[in-house]
Amino acid sequence: MDTVMLLYLLVPAAYLLGSISSAIIVCRLMGLPDPRTQGSNNPGATNVLRIGGKKAAAITLLGDALKGLIPMLVAHALHASPLILAMTAMGAFLGHLYPLFFGFKGGKGVATALGAQFGLYWPIGLSVALIWLFVAKGMKISSLAALVATALAPLIVWGFWPAPELVIMQIIMSAWLFWRHRSNISNLLNGREGKIR
């Protein structure tokens, strides 16, 4: 398929899929409070875990990851170039951060970014996930695990698939994730960040 046609189809479709907030939908269906008004006020899996428990959080996490994974699998099926793959990943990621359907107020993007990394090339996603799990198990702090995995993600992409477009995409995505976690970073520095129970 023509590159320009892929650009016009895949990237907006990825953004629209990313705009579906798993946390808000799961909480509504399970009769839980709106995650934007409870806990950390973040519509993401970690906050859903606080207010709704493991089952709701697991469904939310899966939904958010699929938003990144599915567009990337479609892009691969259409033999998209690294540039289109990079832009598709960013489309899904930005859809989660700034969802069209929920007033452009979304989550922090960790699960959707991870889904996109798995969709790009599964060893990339697996490497990032293992780093997250290792840090989370050792330190018991979800945000710290996410930040460490995010910081190393550009190096992981470069190691497995050193296309400049993909590396740049991951650097931008990682920088955005750090920006979205600025309150967590402040809490970490002050020793106030909550731990995984």
Side-chain angles (χ1 to χ4, degrees):
M1 189 177 285
D2 181 75
T3 299
V4 175
M5 184 65 70
L6 279 176
L7 182 63
Y8 283 129
L9 289 176
L10 276 176
V11 179
Y15 171 77
L16 291 175
L17 182 61
S19 290
I20 300 171
S21 177
S22 304
I24 296 172
I25 292 172
V26 167
C27 286
R28 286 180 182 175
L29 291 176
M30 297 183 72
L32 299 169
D34 189 323
R36 295 170 296 181
T37 64
Q38 302 287 322
S40 66
N41 301 321
N42 177 60
T46 302
N47 197 33
V48 173
L49 177 63
R50 292 188 190 101
I51 64 178
K54 293 180 181 179
K55 181 179 179 181
I59 297 171
T60 300
L61 182 66
L62 177 62
D64 285 346
L66 287 174
K67 295 190 303 185
L69 176 65
I70 292 171
M72 298 302 287
L73 295 180
V74 172
H76 277 300
L78 295 173
H79 307 290
S81 66
L83 176 61
I84 300 300
L85 288 169
M87 296 187 70
T88 300
M90 285 300 301
F93 178 69
L94 291 175
H96 179 80
L97 266 58
Y98 306 104
L100 177 65
F101 310 124
F102 295 94
F104 301 101
K105 295 179 181 179
K108 294 180 179 177
V110 175
T112 302
L114 183 61
Q117 289 158 349
F118 267 104
L120 176 61
Y121 185 42
W122 68 265
I124 294 174
L126 181 61
S127 299
V128 174
L130 288 175
I131 291 169
W132 187 95
L133 286 169
F134 178 78
V135 177
K137 185 174 179 61
M139 303 301 293
K140 305 296 184 185
I141 303 176
S142 176
S143 60
L144 179 60
L147 289 167
V148 172
T150 293
L152 295 175
L155 291 175
I156 294 168
V157 172
W158 178 78
F160 282 108
W161 195 344
E165 303 93 330
L166 299 177
V167 176
I168 291 170
M169 172 273 292
Q170 185 57 63
I171 290 171
I172 294 171
M173 194 178 287
S174 293
W176 223 310
L177 281 164
F178 265 77
W179 171 252
R180 297 289 285 191
H181 281 80
R182 58 194 184 278
S183 62
N184 302 92
I185 293 171
S186 176
N187 288 337
L188 285 167
L189 294 174
N190 293 319
R192 295 198 306 264
E193 186 72 345
K195 293 195 174 186
I196 300 170
R197 289 176 293 178

